[in-house]
Amino acid sequence: RIGATTSCHDWRGFSRSPLFLEQVLNADQSCQQAVTANLVAQVMRGKKPCSANNGSYCAARKRLPTSFLGRLGRELGNRILNRQPEAWRWRGRHVKLVDGTTVSMSDTVANQKAFPQNRKQQPGLGFPLAMLVGVISLSCGAILDWAIGPCEGKQTGETALLRNLAAHFQRADLLIADRCYSGYFMVAQMAMLGVDVLVRQNARRRTDFSGAQRLGKGDHIVTWRRPARPDWMSPETYQTVPATLTMREIECGTLTLATTLLDPGSAHARELLALYHGRWNIELDLRSIKDVMQMGVLRCKSPEMVRKEIAVHFIAYNLVCALMTQAAQLNDIMPRALRFKLTLQTLRVYQPGNSPRSDQQAANEAVLILQAIARAPLPKRPGRTEPRVKKRRPKPTKLMTQPRSVLRAQCLKQNQFTQPSA
């Protein structure tokens, strides 16, 4: 039933989704809340209530195959992408955004071993951190693929994780990313796959518009030369990398862009700048997943369950994107014009009636809800700039500067002197 929501007629599948999925969709993402909600739902349907103990539910989650959940999330995202109208593509191409982020999790021995905390933090004071790199569609916002790794150690950065996702990209795709992904070997790998790249120029790379093949003001064709072989690359792989890359560099105000789209007739500099500005959408998408869907701090206590929890979050996120895509198609607008949080809120409160209904009645109900989602689009705010600061102050709680075991021993010692003797 998870993937059955690709049409309005199957919209009711959301209400019968597995408990794990309902758990991450709920505002209260505790296991007890999921079990309690299921107990109430059974009573409302006139069935015998299940046990309120969440032990069986937690054991059942452990039996879910991690590979199955990952495959399900990726297939759902790509189904949304492939079913979108042709008009939503850029010149008939799929535009895919790439970026990385981090998530923290429960401070357990197993999690610390798989996802070590920041090396600058003392033992017992930090939390395990995982690095995530996601591939998200610019047009519909669906997450198409992702990779997970630790934040510490060799080959654990964003570009290393993206190399593991290279097989996802198809010929004629367009990848847009920030300057973190503008290295020679990353661009060369995509070029060998037939994937065009639009990235911000790396600050270490010198850009001189006085020479080379000029296409216009602040727009020229240059040749990038292959750098020395890095330690992580084998000599055999290094020989397969092209010795040079023909690149186009564009200066747009304070931005310098680099791209493999060389023809100014088919891709004007102003058009590429507007396209690159769309990269910010992946920042908003990751914020929606981490803050609105509360994936920024994971609950599971083992690395295997952490990977499952991330996969289920992405499945839930793609289901919300599926609703937004349906609402956009129904009302002839773009999915990016709709509110993610409003769609999620609608999904959370939607409860089908207990009385039997025909398929036509259910379809009509779904259409009305999709129209309601589309009636509150995002306001147009071109050039909006807001400082990244908070006005409301947090409570003046002291930060933990010693391990919890040490602080607990101090509290016990203090209580021995403050409590009256019997």
Side-chain angles (χ1 to χ4, degrees):
R1 283 289 181 178
I2 294 180
T5 54
T6 55
S7 67
C8 294
H9 299 278
D10 295 320
W11 210 76
R12 292 173 295 174
F14 279 120
S15 62
R16 295 193 291 269
S17 55
L19 282 186
F20 203 170
L21 182 58
E22 292 183 1
Q23 180 182 352
V24 301
L25 283 171
N26 200 288
D28 179 1
Q29 295 188 348
S30 64
C31 294
Q32 188 61 61
Q33 165 65 23
V35 173
T36 304
N38 186 56
L39 185 152
V40 173
Q42 288 186 331
V43 172
M44 295 298 293
R45 297 190 189 104
K47 298 181 179 181
K48 182 179 179 181
C50 63
S51 171
N53 191 317
N54 61 17
S56 298
Y57 166 63
C58 293
R61 293 197 316 171
K62 293 181 180 181
R63 293 194 296 269
L64 282 171
T66 307
S67 58
F68 166 74
L69 294 175
R71 186 173 71 253
L72 191 60
R74 293 175 176 91
E75 289 182 359
L76 178 58
N78 284 277
R79 179 178 296 186
I80 298 171
L81 177 72
N82 295 327
R83 292 192 177 185
Q84 65 182 355
E86 184 70 22
W88 292 3
R89 302 182 184 184
W90 181 77
R91 301 184 181 275
R93 293 175 142 198
H94 290 305
V95 181
K96 298 176 180 179
L97 311 176
V98 173
D99 203 6
T101 187
T102 58
V103 292
S104 66
M105 62 200 72
S106 299
D107 188 14
T108 64
V109 175
N111 284 345
Q112 283 282 10
K113 184 177 180 180
F115 305 104
Q117 67 182 42
N118 192 312
R119 67 179 69 176
K120 296 182 180 179
Q121 291 180 310
Q122 298 180 21
L125 301 184
F127 290 91
L129 284 177
M131 172 67 70
L132 288 174
V133 170
V135 181
I136 294 181
S137 167
L138 173 62
S139 55
C140 62
I143 185 162
L144 310 174
D145 203 354
W146 66 89
I148 309 170
C151 291
E152 296 288 341
K154 295 183 179 180
Q155 290 302 293
T156 56
E158 296 182 33
T159 54
L161 291 177
L162 180 57
R163 283 195 292 271
N164 298 330
L165 302 178
H168 162 85
F169 293 91
Q170 300 178 359
R171 183 171 294 275
D173 284 347
L174 174 59
L175 182 150
I176 302 180
D178 60 18
R179 62 179 56 175
C180 175
Y181 302 90
S182 62
Y184 183 94
F185 296 106
M186 179 56 63
V187 176
Q189 183 181 24
M190 292 300 162
M192 293 168 65
L193 295 173
V195 177
D196 280 311
V197 173
L198 175 62
V199 294
R200 188 175 179 182
Q201 182 74 290
N202 193 304
R204 296 182 179 180
R205 186 180 293 276
R206 182 174 177 271
T207 304
D208 183 8
F209 289 94
S210 61
Q213 180 183 345
R214 298 192 60 185
L215 303 176
K217 184 179 179 180
D219 189 355
H220 67 181
I221 302 292
V222 296
T223 299
W224 288 5
R225 302 193 180 281
R226 183 178 60 189
R229 181 178 66 86
D231 295 336
W232 53 265
M233 181 178 289
S234 66
E236 294 77 16
T237 304
Y238 182 75
Q239 293 301 320
T240 63
V241 178
T244 60
L245 288 175
T246 303
M247 299 291 296
R248 181 183 176 190
E249 296 175 341
I250 305 169
E251 187 177 42
C252 306
T254 59
L255 293 179
T256 301
L257 304 179
T259 180
T260 54
L261 298 170
L262 306 180
D263 185 9
S266 60
H268 194 273
R270 289 192 298 270
E271 185 180 9
L272 293 179
L273 176 62
L275 198 59
Y276 182 78
H277 282 164
R279 189 207 69 83
W280 188 251
N281 284 285
I282 194 171
E283 304 282 356
L284 303 179
D285 296 334
L286 293 175
R287 185 183 68 179
S288 296
I289 299 172
K290 292 178 61 176
D291 295 348
V292 180
M293 297 190 67
Q294 306 175 56
M295 198 188 77
V297 179
L298 301 171
R299 295 172 175 267
C300 293
K301 302 182 183 302
S302 68
E304 190 68 14
M305 288 303 301
V306 162
R307 296 179 185 275
K308 293 179 185 179
E309 188 176 0
I310 291 172
V312 175
H313 268 93
F314 287 154
I315 292 172
Y317 170 78
N318 277 342
L319 289 177
V320 178
C321 289
L323 277 187
M324 296 172 67
T325 302
Q326 292 176 37
Q329 288 181 287
L330 189 64
N331 295 273
D332 196 23
I333 57 178
M334 293 293 291
R336 290 291 184 182
L338 301 181
R339 299 173 184 261
F340 178 87
K341 190 170 184 178
L342 172 65
T343 309
L344 178 61
Q345 290 169 336
T346 304
L347 179 58
R348 282 172 173 172
V349 302
Y350 173 71
Q351 292 292 337
N354 293 321
S355 58
R357 296 169 302 165
S358 65
D359 290 342
Q360 186 60 45
Q361 288 175 324
N364 293 338
E365 182 182 276
V367 169
L368 291 175
I369 293 177
L370 293 175
Q371 288 177 341
I373 293 174
R375 288 196 187 103
L378 287 168
K380 294 183 180 180
R381 297 174 290 192
R384 178 173 181 260
T385 302
E386 292 292 338
R388 302 187 70 175
V389 295
K390 289 184 178 180
K391 181 179 179 181
R392 192 174 299 278
R393 270 64 171 172
K395 293 183 179 180
T397 306
K398 294 182 179 180
L399 298 177
M400 180 184 288
T401 57
Q402 293 178 298
R404 186 175 298 276
S405 58
V406 176
L407 296 176
R408 188 183 295 111
Q410 293 177 358
C411 292
L412 292 174
K413 184 177 181 180
Q414 184 179 3
N415 290 341
Q416 292 177 357
F417 295 99
T418 58
Q419 292 181 358
S421 59

